[in-house]
Amino acid sequence: MIRIGGKLVHIREMLNKFKVIFAMTGFIICFLVLFCVIFVIKPNIINQYKIDDHSIKYIKGEGIEVKGTDKVKMYDTKKQQIVELNLEDYVAGVVAAEMPADFGDEALKAQAVAARTFYFSRRLSPCEEAHGAEICNSTHCQVYMSKEDRMNNWSKSEGEKNWNRILNAVNSTKEEVLVYEGEIAKHPQFFAISSGKTENSEDVFADNVPYLKSTDSHGEEIAKKFETVTEVKNGEFLSKIKKKYPKVKLDEKNLKSSISILSRTDGGGVKEIKIDSITISGVEFRKIFNINSANFTLEFGSSSIKIDCKGYGHGVGMSQWGANVMAKEGKGYTEILKHYYNGIEIEKIKYNN
């Protein structure tokens, strides 16, 4: 027993009270720490992951921090070797190869940001055909051409002017990438010409990517390949279908009655087409006949079938011709990108070696 304030207090009773106080204090401290982790620290560092010797994280208000250098490891499919390039030089080569140099400046800038983002998507998940590099220079990833190779395809009077426009687009957007909900956009898809609307990603690539949704893309009727017609002889048509699907019962007499388009996507492409007893996607039909898009109609003749296409490419993400139309209308590259990639933001990368 001890005397406190004129009262006798049992020591064990006093110790029990201290234990309760310490326990409550500890609980409050743990709660405050957990609160800070969930509501303070986590929103600032939204995502962090590591691939090989690179780590990339998004810090809110500061941009994208990349551990490593600005060097691109690219597999040259023609030379069959890995080459190392400065990132911005690489982006210039992609813009030069992927978009006509006479497109609007803001369209070229939009292409530069999309190309740079695509590279980082491969830095996160390296190309399987790059033989140990991060990315290849073919259509499997995105096409790259050196200045020398590209200049050989331009007239001498236009060459330097075209290359300078491309360099301006790249330098004006230096280190900028597309970001969606704290991550570098891993699917910054782009293609040549839409049919008037782009496609939902899940209707073409199966994966449902929230920033790749169907949207209007007007004014592309001016493109030479906006509409194309492929005529296939009945015999050739039957041969290609039966090679892919041997059990299909088709002949020249029942072609028209045995083939029908069942449904279309939000973007206007063929979603499902029935051929005799099987149903395939418009994307698969496009591959079989090597046509320009999956937005097509069929016209049956006595000896051949006409496949009328609108658009050129898979139709997902940014339409390059649509971007050019928007640029000619005075839209900036940021507006163009946010139109085609729903909910994205544009952030700068910085290197932390």
Side-chain angles (χ1 to χ4, degrees):
M1 300 286 289
I2 60 174
R3 184 176 297 277
I4 299 177
K7 293 183 179 181
L8 291 175
V9 180
H10 198 285
I11 294 176
R12 182 175 295 176
E13 181 182 345
M14 184 176 68
L15 290 175
N16 287 337
K17 287 183 179 180
F18 278 126
K19 285 181 181 180
V20 172
I21 293 171
F22 287 143
M24 290 182 66
T25 303
F27 175 79
I28 292 171
I29 291 172
C30 289
F31 175 80
L32 290 174
V33 170
L34 184 63
F35 178 87
C36 289
V37 169
I38 295 175
F39 296 103
V40 178
I41 297 175
K42 190 175 180 180
N44 287 330
I45 303 178
I46 296 179
N47 193 28
Q48 184 169 354
Y49 33 85
K50 187 168 184 175
I51 303 292
D52 295 331
D53 61 339
H54 301 300
S55 67
I56 298 176
K57 61 184 177 182
Y58 170 56
I59 303 176
K60 191 173 182 180
E62 296 184 28
I64 304 292
E65 185 178 277
V66 177
K67 183 179 180 181
T69 69
D70 64 347
K71 300 301 181 184
V72 174
K73 294 177 182 178
M74 181 191 75
Y75 180 70
D76 189 318
T77 55
K78 290 184 179 180
K79 296 179 180 178
Q80 296 186 338
Q81 65 182 30
I82 296 173
V83 296
E84 190 171 271
L85 301 164
N86 174 274
L87 173 62
E88 302 305 327
D89 291 339
Y90 167 77
V91 173
V94 174
V95 175
E98 291 281 5
M99 180 174 275
D102 62 355
F103 272 19
D105 290 339
E106 298 301 307
L108 292 171
K109 292 176 187 178
Q111 182 67 66
V113 176
R116 191 179 293 108
T117 306
F118 190 91
Y119 160 69
F120 275 103
S121 75
R122 284 291 187 259
R123 189 155 169 169
L124 291 168
S125 300
C127 168
E128 296 177 354
E129 298 182 12
H131 299 270
E134 299 160 330
I135 196 166
C136 71
N137 67 341
S138 73
T139 54
H140 179 261
C141 288
Q142 55 186 1
V143 181
Y144 164 88
M145 292 180 71
S146 67
K147 178 181 179 180
E148 181 182 2
D149 289 341
R150 194 66 187 93
M151 294 284 278
N152 288 337
N153 296 321
W154 287 327
S155 66
K156 291 183 179 180
S157 60
E158 293 293 322
E160 285 298 330
K161 176 183 176 183
N162 288 343
W163 190 256
N164 287 335
R165 292 188 69 239
I166 289 168
L167 286 183
N168 178 65
V170 173
N171 292 332
S172 297
T173 63
K174 185 177 180 180
E175 299 177 342
E176 292 183 347
V177 292
L178 303 176
V179 171
Y180 182 79
E181 292 191 349
E183 291 187 358
I184 289 179
K186 297 174 185 175
H187 307 281
Q189 303 291 342
F190 53 86
F191 64 99
I193 308 165
S194 84
S195 59
K197 293 188 75 174
T198 65
E199 297 283 358
N200 295 316
S201 62
E202 62 268 28
D203 291 328
V204 178
F205 299 121
D207 293 332
N208 184 350
V209 181
Y211 51 85
L212 297 178
K213 294 301 178 184
S214 178
T215 188
D216 292 333
S217 188
H218 69 276
E220 298 183 59
E221 300 84 358
I222 60 175
K224 290 182 179 179
K225 294 184 179 180
F226 177 74
E227 289 186 282
T228 53
V229 178
T230 302
E231 188 168 357
V232 184
K233 295 295 184 182
N234 289 344
E236 181 187 354
F237 187 94
L238 288 168
S239 176
K240 288 186 174 181
I241 290 293
K242 289 185 177 181
K243 182 179 180 181
K244 183 72 176 179
Y245 305 102
K247 295 182 179 180
V248 166
K249 296 177 181 179
L250 284 179
D251 57 46
E252 292 198 32
K253 294 181 180 179
N254 69 1
L255 269 178
K256 185 175 181 180
S257 61
S258 299
I259 300 174
S260 59
I261 293 172
L262 300 180
S263 59
R264 291 188 176 270
T265 65
D266 292 342
V270 172
K271 190 171 187 177
E272 294 179 315
I273 180 170
K274 187 175 182 181
I275 302 174
D276 185 39
S277 59
I278 67 166
T279 299
I280 66 173
S281 69
V283 173
E284 183 61 34
F285 187 91
R286 179 195 176 201
K287 291 178 182 177
I288 293 171
F289 292 100
N290 194 30
I291 53 179
N292 285 350
S293 81
N295 189 328
F296 60 84
T297 58
L298 303 175
E299 185 180 338
F300 296 89
S302 58
S303 61
S304 63
I305 298 173
K306 287 184 179 180
I307 309 174
D308 299 287
C309 275
K310 285 187 178 181
Y312 193 106
H314 51 64
V316 179
M318 183 179 72
S319 166
Q320 293 168 318
W321 272 84
N324 186 45
V325 170
M326 292 183 70
K328 299 293 186 182
E329 292 175 344
K331 306 294 194 302
Y333 75 96
T334 299
E335 186 174 354
I336 292 170
L337 290 168
K338 290 190 174 185
H339 175 76
Y340 286 109
Y341 302 105
N342 183 49
I344 61 94
E345 297 296 334
I346 299 173
E347 299 280 358
K348 281 201 169 190
I349 56 175
K350 61 179 181 179
Y351 299 95
N352 182 10
N353 299 325

